[in-house]
Every structure is written in structure tokens, then in C-alpha cells.
Amino acid sequence: MRDDGRTGGARLLVVEDEATVRELLSATLRFAGFEVTSAATAGEAVAAATRHPPDLVLLDVMLPDMDGFEVVRRLRDLRVTGRGGPVPVLFLTARDRQADKVTGLSLGADDYVTKPFDLEELIARIRAILRRTAGHHTGVLTVGTLALDPDGHQVTRDGRPLRVTATEFRLLRYLMENAGHVVSKAQILDRVWHYDFAGDASIVDTYISYLRRKVDVEEPKLIHTVHGVGYVMREPRV
């Protein structure tokens, strides 16, 4: 993989308990230009990610010692970071229920691919995640007493730190970059998730709800619904 400087040579951690799949996937990703480390269990994955934080984790949900959702929880609790923020996670799983997808994404996972998958499509998704999580150097964004530091990957309100997931951070950043302008669910899906979430825009409502519980626990409320259109971030008009 040599398409740009932000994704070339990225370190990936492949977590898959089936040896044949793990070896094939690792070999394919190395051929594509990635540095690859692999793990067969959740315990090995957490240890490897803590020892040498990867730029992205490809994580099977069904593992012998604990499920992939718990792995993500532990990585977040340990504050394992990738390129400037929480390490991105792409789930690989045979479980394609919508509830499982929502669970994974609510934990801050960046994508969810069901087996069997096309290797070229998987590599394209990996590159897309790495590009959008590589970070863009810019100034601190502010709306009222809310501040977001893109470089430091920090969010505060009234100087109080707010703990947000990687996906929440991207959504909040998009809303703040467009403060005062209404953005539709389709625009949010395109800019935050970078692909059509199986036509189900309800994931946007779910994440807006998550953000409100963290950002709008005090007055004035900053995230507003424009019924039939989308959402806007602004201070209430006096």
C-alpha cells in the first residue's frame, strides 16, 4: 500500500482465532504494504495492542476467551491510542445482526465487515479509515463553552474534559465545523462514516443521543434537531 503518506506502512493488528483465515489475511495485508501483527485470542490482542499500539485493529467478534466487544472496551479503558486518538477498530465477523453492528459502533468501532468478505474491499475500507483518522492539523474549534482540539484529540466544556469515543469525536467535529448550518443525516453518514450504513440512518440518531448525554448535560443546549432536515450545532438564539 503506497497510495499516500498517511496510510503507507501503517501497523495493523489482526485478531482472528481461525489460523487459516488469520494467516491468509495477514499475508494479504503485508503484500498490500502494511506492517502486520496477529493474535489468536482476546488476551493476546490486548497485550499486543498495549505493548505496541497499532494504527488499526481488525478484530473478530467471536473469540475463544472473550468477545471482540469486550476487547474494545478494554482497549478504551487502557486508553490505547493510534495516530492521534483512540486506536481505530474494524470488526470482522460472521454475525450480521443489526444489533451487533450497533453494539460495535457504539463502542467506537469504525467499521463492521461480515464474513465472507472481499479482500480488495476490505483493504479499501482499511485505507479509508486510516485516511480519516490520520488527523488534520487545525486550530481548536469552539461553540459557546464547548471546545474541541483536533490535534490533541480532546473535548472540554467549561474547561471540564469530556470522554468521547473515536466515532463520537468525528461526529462532534463535523457538527462544530459546520456550526450554525444544518447538516442532514445523509451528509453525516457520508462525512463521518464515509459509506452508506446499509441505508439505515438511525445510527446517526443513536450517536447524536450519545453526544447529547455528554455535551448537553448543562445549559445552554448546543445540539439541536431540525425536524425533517437534520441537526445543527449552535447556541440558542436569545
Side-chain angles (χ1 to χ4, degrees):
M1 180 188 67
R2 296 288 181 263
D3 61 332
D4 61 53
R6 289 175 292 171
T7 61
R11 297 186 306 276
L12 307 183
L13 173 60
V14 175
V15 187
E16 167 63 60
D17 63 323
E18 294 185 27
T20 302
V21 176
R22 184 175 64 252
E23 292 166 8
L24 173 62
L25 187 53
S26 296
T28 301
L29 293 173
R30 288 191 182 100
F31 184 76
F34 297 100
E35 296 178 21
V36 181
T37 302
S38 63
T41 67
E44 290 178 6
V46 173
T50 304
R51 186 169 57 250
H52 298 295
D55 295 312
L56 183 144
V57 179
L58 286 88
L59 179 61
D60 189 14
V61 171
M62 302 176 70
L63 295 169
D65 46 346
M66 70 181 79
D67 65 32
F69 301 140
E70 182 59 28
V71 172
V72 175
R73 291 187 185 97
R74 296 196 179 192
L75 293 179
R76 298 302 183 238
D77 288 342
L78 292 169
R79 304 199 176 193
V80 176
T81 59
R83 296 181 171 187
V87 63
V89 175
L90 188 156
F91 276 120
L92 302 174
T93 181
R95 295 163 59 171
D96 61 356
R97 294 187 307 127
Q98 188 71 11
D100 289 327
K101 293 182 181 181
V102 172
T103 298
L105 293 169
S106 68
L107 290 171
D110 294 78
D111 208 339
Y112 198 111
V113 178
T114 55
K115 301 175 182 178
F117 48 79
D118 180 82
L119 287 170
E120 289 188 5
E121 179 186 354
L122 177 64
I123 291 171
R125 291 196 179 205
I126 290 170
R127 287 173 171 163
I129 293 171
L130 290 171
R131 281 195 295 270
R132 70 177 184 253
T133 59
H136 304 280
H137 298 286
T138 185
V140 174
L141 301 171
T142 60
V143 177
T145 60
L146 180 69
L148 182 147
D149 180 358
D151 292 340
H153 209 275
Q154 295 179 333
V155 180
T156 61
R157 183 151 190 195
D158 279 330
R160 176 176 54 86
L162 304 181
R163 187 174 180 181
V164 297
T165 68
T167 304
E168 290 167 352
F169 187 90
R170 291 196 304 273
L171 174 55
L172 183 60
R173 176 174 176 171
Y174 182 58
L175 292 173
M176 294 181 73
E177 287 175 337
N178 291 276
H181 300 279
V182 179
V183 290
S184 68
K185 293 180 183 179
Q187 288 175 308
I188 293 173
L189 282 171
D190 180 62
R191 292 299 299 275
V192 177
W193 278 271
H194 291 251
Y195 67 97
D196 184 4
F197 190 73
D200 184 3
S202 65
I203 192 68
V204 176
D205 299 323
T206 300
Y207 270 89
I208 289 290
S209 176
Y210 294 157
L211 277 181
R212 280 175 165 155
R213 294 174 195 171
K214 297 177 180 182
V215 170
D216 281 345
V217 294
E218 59 188 59
E219 297 290 344
K221 307 300 184 185
L222 301 177
I223 302 174
H224 304 273
T225 301
V226 180
H227 294 289
V229 183
Y231 297 97
V232 61
M233 173 162 278
R234 63 167 180 255
E235 295 185 75
R237 297 186 180 92
V238 179

mmCIF file of all heavy atoms in Angstrom, residues 5-6 17-18 35 42 88 128 152 194 203 207:
data_model
loop_
_atom_site.group_PDB
_atom_site.id
_atom_site.type_symbol
_atom_site.label_atom_id
_atom_site.label_comp_id
_atom_site.label_asym_id
_atom_site.label_seq_id
_atom_site.Cartn_x
_atom_site.Cartn_y
_atom_site.Cartn_z
ATOM 1 N N GLY A 5 1.071 9.167 1.934
ATOM 2 C CA GLY A 5 1.960 9.092 3.074
ATOM 3 C C GLY A 5 1.267 8.859 4.387
ATOM 4 O O GLY A 5 1.888 8.494 5.368
ATOM 5 N N ARG A 6 -0.047 9.105 4.438
ATOM 6 C CA ARG A 6 -0.743 8.983 5.704
ATOM 7 C C ARG A 6 -1.102 7.542 6.020
ATOM 8 O O ARG A 6 -1.336 7.195 7.154
ATOM 9 C CB ARG A 6 -2.021 9.840 5.684
ATOM 10 C CG ARG A 6 -1.766 11.322 5.730
ATOM 11 C CD ARG A 6 -3.046 12.094 5.580
ATOM 12 N NE ARG A 6 -3.601 11.927 4.240
ATOM 13 C CZ ARG A 6 -4.800 12.351 3.885
ATOM 14 N NH1 ARG A 6 -5.588 12.943 4.752
ATOM 15 N NH2 ARG A 6 -5.240 12.179 2.652
ATOM 16 N N ASP A 17 -9.249 -16.042 15.517
ATOM 17 C CA ASP A 17 -8.895 -17.314 16.146
ATOM 18 C C ASP A 17 -8.730 -18.458 15.142
ATOM 19 O O ASP A 17 -8.076 -19.456 15.448
ATOM 20 C CB ASP A 17 -9.930 -17.702 17.213
ATOM 21 C CG ASP A 17 -11.317 -17.927 16.627
ATOM 22 O OD1 ASP A 17 -11.691 -17.190 15.700
ATOM 23 O OD2 ASP A 17 -12.015 -18.839 17.101
ATOM 24 N N GLU A 18 -9.284 -18.333 13.937
ATOM 25 C CA GLU A 18 -9.102 -19.369 12.925
ATOM 26 C C GLU A 18 -7.759 -19.158 12.227
ATOM 27 O O GLU A 18 -7.559 -18.157 11.532
ATOM 28 C CB GLU A 18 -10.236 -19.336 11.910
ATOM 29 C CG GLU A 18 -11.596 -19.703 12.502
ATOM 30 C CD GLU A 18 -12.679 -19.767 11.437
ATOM 31 O OE1 GLU A 18 -12.343 -20.042 10.266
ATOM 32 O OE2 GLU A 18 -13.846 -19.541 11.785
ATOM 33 N N GLU A 35 2.323 -3.180 7.818
ATOM 34 C CA GLU A 35 3.036 -3.954 8.830
ATOM 35 C C GLU A 35 1.975 -4.677 9.652
ATOM 36 O O GLU A 35 1.046 -4.038 10.141
ATOM 37 C CB GLU A 35 3.866 -3.036 9.733
ATOM 38 C CG GLU A 35 4.982 -2.286 9.009
ATOM 39 C CD GLU A 35 5.735 -1.368 9.946
ATOM 40 O OE1 GLU A 35 5.680 -1.591 11.176
ATOM 41 O OE2 GLU A 35 6.357 -0.420 9.453
ATOM 42 N N ALA A 42 -8.371 -12.918 22.551
ATOM 43 C CA ALA A 42 -8.597 -11.563 23.048
ATOM 44 C C ALA A 42 -7.460 -11.130 23.972
ATOM 45 O O ALA A 42 -6.994 -9.988 23.914
ATOM 46 C CB ALA A 42 -9.930 -11.497 23.778
ATOM 47 N N PRO A 88 -8.243 2.986 15.975
ATOM 48 C CA PRO A 88 -9.415 2.595 15.181
ATOM 49 C C PRO A 88 -9.609 1.077 15.190
ATOM 50 O O PRO A 88 -8.642 0.320 15.242
ATOM 51 C CB PRO A 88 -9.072 3.100 13.769
ATOM 52 C CG PRO A 88 -8.002 4.121 13.968
ATOM 53 C CD PRO A 88 -7.227 3.671 15.162
ATOM 54 N N ALA A 128 -9.457 3.753 3.934
ATOM 55 C CA ALA A 128 -10.364 4.867 4.192
ATOM 56 C C ALA A 128 -10.351 5.248 5.669
ATOM 57 O O ALA A 128 -10.324 6.438 6.016
ATOM 58 C CB ALA A 128 -11.782 4.503 3.744
ATOM 59 N N GLY A 152 -4.877 17.505 19.668
ATOM 60 C CA GLY A 152 -4.747 16.844 20.962
ATOM 61 C C GLY A 152 -5.819 15.810 21.225
ATOM 62 O O GLY A 152 -5.777 15.086 22.219
ATOM 63 N N HIS A 194 -18.300 7.684 6.043
ATOM 64 C CA HIS A 194 -17.705 7.581 4.710
ATOM 65 C C HIS A 194 -18.266 6.453 3.866
ATOM 66 O O HIS A 194 -17.659 6.014 2.912
ATOM 67 C CB HIS A 194 -16.180 7.435 4.799
ATOM 68 C CG HIS A 194 -15.508 8.674 5.274
ATOM 69 N ND1 HIS A 194 -14.747 9.471 4.456
ATOM 70 C CD2 HIS A 194 -15.480 9.267 6.492
ATOM 71 C CE1 HIS A 194 -14.284 10.494 5.150
ATOM 72 N NE2 HIS A 194 -14.714 10.389 6.391
ATOM 73 N N ILE A 203 -28.527 5.134 12.836
ATOM 74 C CA ILE A 203 -27.266 5.145 13.579
ATOM 75 C C ILE A 203 -26.865 6.587 13.901
ATOM 76 O O ILE A 203 -26.243 6.850 14.928
ATOM 77 C CB ILE A 203 -26.145 4.436 12.781
ATOM 78 C CG1 ILE A 203 -24.926 4.187 13.667
ATOM 79 C CG2 ILE A 203 -25.760 5.210 11.534
ATOM 80 C CD1 ILE A 203 -25.143 3.192 14.761
ATOM 81 N N TYR A 207 -26.036 8.123 17.700
ATOM 82 C CA TYR A 207 -24.815 8.824 18.104
ATOM 83 C C TYR A 207 -25.087 10.251 18.553
ATOM 84 O O TYR A 207 -24.396 10.773 19.442
ATOM 85 C CB TYR A 207 -23.782 8.785 16.974
ATOM 86 C CG TYR A 207 -22.890 7.579 17.090
ATOM 87 C CD1 TYR A 207 -23.243 6.374 16.495
ATOM 88 C CD2 TYR A 207 -21.724 7.623 17.838
ATOM 89 C CE1 TYR A 207 -22.443 5.259 16.623
ATOM 90 C CE2 TYR A 207 -20.915 6.520 17.971
ATOM 91 C CZ TYR A 207 -21.284 5.334 17.360
ATOM 92 O OH TYR A 207 -20.484 4.230 17.512
#
